[in-house]
Amino acid sequence: MGLQHHRSKSQPLFLDDDEMGLVLVFTKKPSSTPLPSTAAAARPKLLTLLFLSLVSGFLILAPHFFPAFYSFDSMTATDSNLPLCSSVANGTICCDRTSIRSDVCYMKGDIRTQPSTSSIRLYTGESRHQEEKIRPYTRKWETSVMNTIDELNLITSEEKQQQNHRCDVTHDVPAVFFSTGGYTGNVYHEFNDGLIPLYITSHQYNKRVVFVILEYHDWWISKYSDILSHLSDFPAVDFSGDKRTHCFPEATVGLRIHDELTISPALMQGSNRTIVDFRNILDRAYLPRITGLIEEEKLELGPAIRSNSRRNAPKLLIVSRTGSRAITNEEALVKTGERIGFRVEILRPDPTTELAKIYRAMNSSDVMIGVHGAAMTHFLFMRPGSVFIQVVPLGTDWAAESYYGGPATRMGLKYIGYKILPRESSLFEKYGEEDPVLRDPESVNQRGWEYTKSIYLDGQNVALDLKRFEKRLGRAYGHVVKNVVRNRRDRRRRRRSAA
């Protein structure tokens, strides 16, 4: 996950000629002969009636000539802020390409997959032809990665062609088509580019939806099966691997995305859901497995769990890294945390670590510490009200705040960013104090992604100034204790009210 990623900007909307409204302009030819007074009085009324007749005729006939842009709902809508393609007429395709992050197309009617030609066909019973192309992935502005995403052809066809394209599997619920290609394999992108947009796009169907996946990966399905089962009641379809013709009454091709690891209630079309609602899905998804893990531990450890004298102390979780951006004085950090009053655990996740185990470790923590990187995505697993301390190495300020700091705050966490000083970086030993690498990281980042990656992401470790860092830990401990006292007071108040 790189620092070159998109910074949100509002985009002007440009309409193609065939999307613009028709304007009728009447001109009055000058007359050299004055009209009689009665005729002059009648002429404006006659012109008004003629104008109204023409407009009425246009409104009646327009849906036949421009079916993709008209429907009963869209013509009677009074909310000018409705999103493009918020209403799609039966037998039409509508594509919203206004976002810089992703294109999304909507289809309604007799929809049939055709994987051999990378096509989705919509049979209309009319000779009118419409064709759209789309790469259903949420990093539209990144040409290099979008070129690796399979392209889909969305095509309207006449009904008479149906005899050569019969349904093998008929679904009575809508489909959502998307790709798990691109940066999939990196946990940040798996949530930011995939799972959260999938929730945003599909939540309105209340699990009555089929996911059709391009560049399907068995490992991805297995890794996220607990979450997917809370978004859809049906098994996912491998678009390219399943050669059968799947038929749907509606389809959304592509995923809507709001911002980095974020859900904007204002864009949820009336549901007002937030990233906390997505996190609640995760809670429900992992509860059964976590319950099982707890029972296994009780059987394995027995009295050892109950005899832990620090089990009631606030839990501090350190997410450990190996290789680049590691905390080289991690053991001393553990001792500092324990001296303050924390029960300290270290999490060393790797690609094979079961996600439910990571979720349990995060969800049971009061404070998490980690160095900026993809693993910080796991702040999504923490309880709102807990504390997230992100160690920010040199050269990563903007990315640390944009990808994790801001989103964590919006989810309800207490976020504390710890920006290291040059002397806390391993780069301090490699470069002189006046070198731009230490003194002006922004100028180095402007040289390009390869410079940023090689110097600040792949070539840097951290030795925390623990006297300085201890102040952040003290703030975190105070916040946790205050929350515990407040929660106990709230519980007592609720018990009294119930009595």
Side-chain angles (χ1 to χ4, degrees):
M1 189 270 299
L3 299 181
Q4 84 280 28
H5 295 171
H6 162 67
R7 305 185 189 204
S8 300
K9 295 179 181 178
S10 59
Q11 296 293 309
L13 173 62
F14 297 97
L15 298 179
D16 294 331
D17 290 342
D18 60 351
E19 292 177 333
M20 298 176 68
L22 178 63
V23 178
L24 302 179
V25 180
F26 291 87
T27 59
K28 180 178 179 181
K29 182 178 179 180
S31 174
S32 57
T33 306
L35 292 172
S37 59
T38 54
R43 185 171 182 177
K45 295 180 181 179
L46 181 62
L47 287 173
T48 300
L49 289 173
L50 177 61
F51 174 80
L52 292 175
S53 298
L54 288 170
V55 170
S56 299
F58 171 75
L59 292 176
I60 292 171
L61 296 175
H64 299 283
F65 291 101
F66 308 102
F69 304 105
Y70 287 85
S71 70
F72 179 80
D73 291 338
S74 64
M75 290 180 65
T76 57
T78 58
D79 184 359
S80 61
N81 294 320
L82 284 174
L84 188 63
C85 300
S86 60
S87 179
V88 182
N90 195 57
T92 64
I93 302 171
C94 179
C95 291
D96 184 349
R97 303 186 188 274
T98 59
S99 171
I100 196 171
R101 290 177 173 267
S102 67
D103 291 335
V104 184
C105 293
Y106 304 87
M107 309 172 72
K108 189 173 183 180
D110 185 355
I111 299 164
R112 307 186 181 201
T113 61
Q114 193 174 49
S116 61
T117 61
S118 297
S119 301
I120 308 172
R121 290 189 175 272
L122 173 62
Y123 291 100
T124 65
E126 301 175 2
S127 59
R128 178 185 56 81
H129 179 77
Q130 183 182 357
E131 184 169 352
E132 301 281 352
K133 294 182 180 295
I134 182 173
R135 298 180 189 270
Y137 190 63
T138 55
R139 303 196 76 81
K140 175 181 168 181
W141 76 95
E142 283 196 62
T143 304
S144 59
V145 72
M146 290 301 292
N147 287 339
T148 70
I149 302 299
D150 291 345
E151 186 174 62
L152 282 174
N153 304 302
L154 315 182
I155 306 169
T156 60
S157 298
E158 290 187 59
E159 189 172 357
K160 64 182 180 182
Q161 297 175 349
Q162 286 188 24
Q163 59 184 354
N164 299 321
H165 197 196
R166 294 185 177 88
C167 295
D168 296 316
V169 184
T170 301
H171 304 269
D172 61 359
V173 298
V176 172
F177 291 76
F178 64 98
S179 174
T180 54
Y183 291 127
T184 298
N186 175 296
V187 68
Y188 167 83
H189 292 287
E190 286 166 8
F191 276 90
N192 185 73
D193 304 344
L195 291 168
I196 294 176
L198 185 59
Y199 172 76
I200 291 171
T201 306
S202 66
H203 79 280
Q204 60 183 313
Y205 299 120
N206 295 318
K207 299 174 64 178
R208 301 289 297 169
V209 60
V210 174
F211 298 145
V212 185
I213 303 176
L214 283 73
E215 300 177 69
Y216 181 102
H217 301 288
D218 288 329
W219 66 262
W220 187 87
I221 294 292
S222 177
K223 181 177 181 179
Y224 293 112
S225 60
D226 292 328
I227 300 174
L228 295 174
S229 67
H230 281 73
L231 301 180
S232 170
D233 284 332
F234 305 92
V237 175
D238 178 355
F239 179 78
S240 299
D242 188 341
K243 303 302 182 183
R244 296 175 299 175
T245 297
H246 289 261
C247 300
F248 300 95
E250 296 181 32
T252 301
V253 187
L255 301 177
R256 294 192 295 274
I257 180 172
H258 296 165
D259 207 339
E260 312 299 332
L261 299 176
T262 295
I263 296 173
S264 173
L267 300 176
M268 291 297 280
Q269 299 186 27
S271 71
N272 293 321
R273 299 192 188 187
T274 69
I275 192 65
V276 175
D277 293 291
F278 175 76
R279 193 203 168 279
N280 291 340
I281 291 281
L282 303 184
D283 253 352
R284 296 196 295 273
Y286 290 115
L287 178 61
R289 175 57 179 149
I290 290 174
T291 301
L293 289 172
I294 293 173
E295 292 302 318
E296 290 173 11
E297 285 186 5
K298 286 180 179 179
L299 291 174
E300 182 179 346
L301 300 176
I305 296 179
R306 293 187 293 274
S307 64
N308 185 347
S309 61
R310 300 183 63 86
R311 71 182 186 275
N312 292 323
K315 177 181 169 183
L316 168 63
L317 184 72
I318 300 172
V319 181
S320 182
R321 292 183 62 97
T322 57
S324 66
R325 283 166 285 153
I327 298 176
T328 57
N329 55 344
E330 193 173 84
E331 290 184 10
L333 173 61
V334 171
K335 293 178 181 178
T336 301
E338 289 176 341
R339 186 173 66 253
I340 289 173
F342 286 109
R343 171 171 51 96
V344 183
E345 292 183 11
I346 297 179
L347 177 67
R348 294 186 174 91
D350 62 52
T352 65
T353 303
E354 184 183 354
L355 209 57
K357 292 182 178 179
I358 299 176
Y359 194 89
R360 182 194 174 194
M362 296 284 181
N363 192 48
S364 62
S365 299
D366 298 291
V367 180
M368 176 183 81
I369 296 174
V371 181
H372 170 70
M376 296 301 94
T377 306
H378 294 126
F379 79 76
L380 293 168
F381 296 178
M382 300 186 72
R383 302 186 309 275
S386 51
V387 183
F388 169 32
I389 302 177
Q390 180 178 205
V391 177
V392 183
L394 298 181
T396 66
D397 297 16
W398 180 84
E401 174 61 28
S402 299
Y403 300 143
Y404 305 114
T409 300
R410 289 191 285 273
M411 200 186 78
L413 300 184
K414 170 70 173 177
Y415 173 68
I416 300 175
Y418 179 80
K419 182 178 177 180
I420 71 168
L421 299 176
R423 66 174 181 269
E424 296 175 89
S425 171
S426 61
L427 299 176
F428 190 75
E429 301 172 359
K430 186 175 180 179
Y431 298 90
E433 288 189 48
E434 296 304 313
D435 193 292
V437 167
L438 299 176
R439 183 174 51 82
D440 188 14
E442 184 63 27
S443 67
V444 178
N445 287 337
Q446 289 174 358
R447 297 181 191 176
W449 166 241
E450 291 305 322
Y451 278 94
T452 296
K453 185 175 186 297
S454 63
I455 295 174
Y456 295 121
L457 298 183
D458 295 341
Q460 180 175 200
N461 287 324
V462 175
L464 294 173
D465 179 344
L466 291 176
K467 287 185 178 180
R468 179 171 174 253
F469 192 76
E470 188 172 353
K471 296 177 182 178
R472 270 69 171 185
L473 284 178
R475 285 168 53 193
Y477 187 85
H479 176 82
V480 171
V481 171
K482 184 178 179 180
N483 268 354
V484 169
V485 172
R486 182 169 59 246
N487 291 338
R488 287 174 180 170
R489 185 171 59 245
D490 290 344
R491 285 196 296 270
R492 286 197 297 269
R493 187 182 298 117
R494 286 194 296 268
R495 284 196 295 268
R496 287 197 296 268
S497 298

